[in-house]
Amino acid sequence: MIMVQRRRNVVFIGFASCGKSTAGKAVAAHGFTFVDLDSVIEERFQYDKKETLSCRQIYNQYGNEYFLNLETKVLGSLLTLESTVLSTGGGAPMTAANRPILKQFGFVVYLYAEPEVLLDRMKSKGYPAFLADNPTVENLNKIWNERHDIYRSMADLTIDTNKKNIDEIVTEVLEHI
């Protein structure tokens, strides 16, 4: 087991099914606390509204603006954390207000994967809402192209996950932090 001396926070960004949660939990096993942004958003929503909904349900019932404002508030509240690995939802970096918060939080790792690879992974996990009605590579490519440049511009480290296993990804992250 590789132990990390410095307790720098790590943020995983990337498209749905790129491995953010899996890699985040695996890196966290090396002396960090793991935090899933979507879970914290759901907890905050439940606390605020006394209602239990998933992120997708919050988005569908309360709208885009409400969800994005809640996401930004939750991200800001996490800035006091230390020795933490944060796995974001794929859309979190797409909100301009979230980008400086994510960069301030910690070392940003973009888990890159080609759209064809992502779509294949999604088949077993389930499709995100934006693909549910049309889960094709062409539809995924449109959204992937919108996000890829933003992910890359934010990243302190980009890891191509197309052919890497989780151990290789974890080792690469730990070597860089």
Side-chain angles (χ1 to χ4, degrees):
M1 178 190 242
I2 298 170
M3 290 304 294
V4 177
Q5 297 303 314
R6 287 189 340 193
R7 294 294 177 227
R8 188 171 185 189
N9 290 339
V10 179
V11 180
F12 282 99
I13 64 170
F15 220 90
S17 296
C18 71
K20 298 180 299 287
S21 294
T22 302
K25 290 173 186 173
V27 169
H30 294 273
F32 294 85
T33 300
F34 176 74
V35 173
D36 178 84
L37 180 60
D38 286 350
S39 294
V40 180
I41 290 169
E42 290 166 0
E43 290 168 9
R44 173 72 179 266
F45 177 82
Q46 184 176 8
Y47 178 82
D48 289 349
K49 297 281 191 179
K50 310 298 184 243
E51 185 178 2
T52 303
L53 296 177
S54 68
C55 283
R56 185 181 287 197
Q57 291 169 322
I58 296 167
Y59 183 90
N60 288 339
Q61 291 184 28
Y62 288 82
N64 183 56
E65 185 177 350
Y66 177 86
F67 181 82
L68 296 179
N69 286 334
L70 179 60
E71 181 179 61
T72 301
K73 284 179 195 170
V74 168
L75 273 173
S77 73
L78 300 177
L79 288 174
T80 59
L81 298 177
E82 295 179 2
S83 300
T84 300
V85 175
L86 176 65
S87 174
T88 66
M94 301 312 295
T95 302
N98 292 347
R99 293 180 203 140
I101 299 170
L102 291 167
K103 291 293 286 179
Q104 184 180 348
F105 183 83
F107 186 81
V108 178
V109 179
Y110 168 29
L111 297 181
Y112 167 88
E114 294 288 337
E116 295 81 8
V117 172
L118 293 168
L119 193 63
D120 190 54
R121 293 176 185 171
M122 289 174 188
K123 286 177 187 171
S124 62
K125 289 179 62 177
Y127 297 107
F130 60 83
L131 274 183
D133 294 337
N134 187 13
T136 63
V137 172
E138 294 78 22
N139 194 30
L140 179 58
N141 266 324
K142 291 175 195 169
I143 298 157
W144 188 92
N145 287 327
E146 292 171 5
R147 294 183 177 191
H148 174 68
D149 288 339
I150 290 173
Y151 292 156
R152 283 194 62 116
S153 71
M154 289 186 61
D156 296 306
L157 173 65
T158 298
I159 299 176
D160 184 335
T161 66
N162 287 304
K163 296 180 182 168
K164 288 189 179 170
N165 66 41
I166 192 65
D167 292 334
E168 292 170 316
I169 294 167
V170 169
T171 298
E172 194 168 340
V173 170
L174 294 177
E175 286 172 352
H176 283 85
I177 60 170

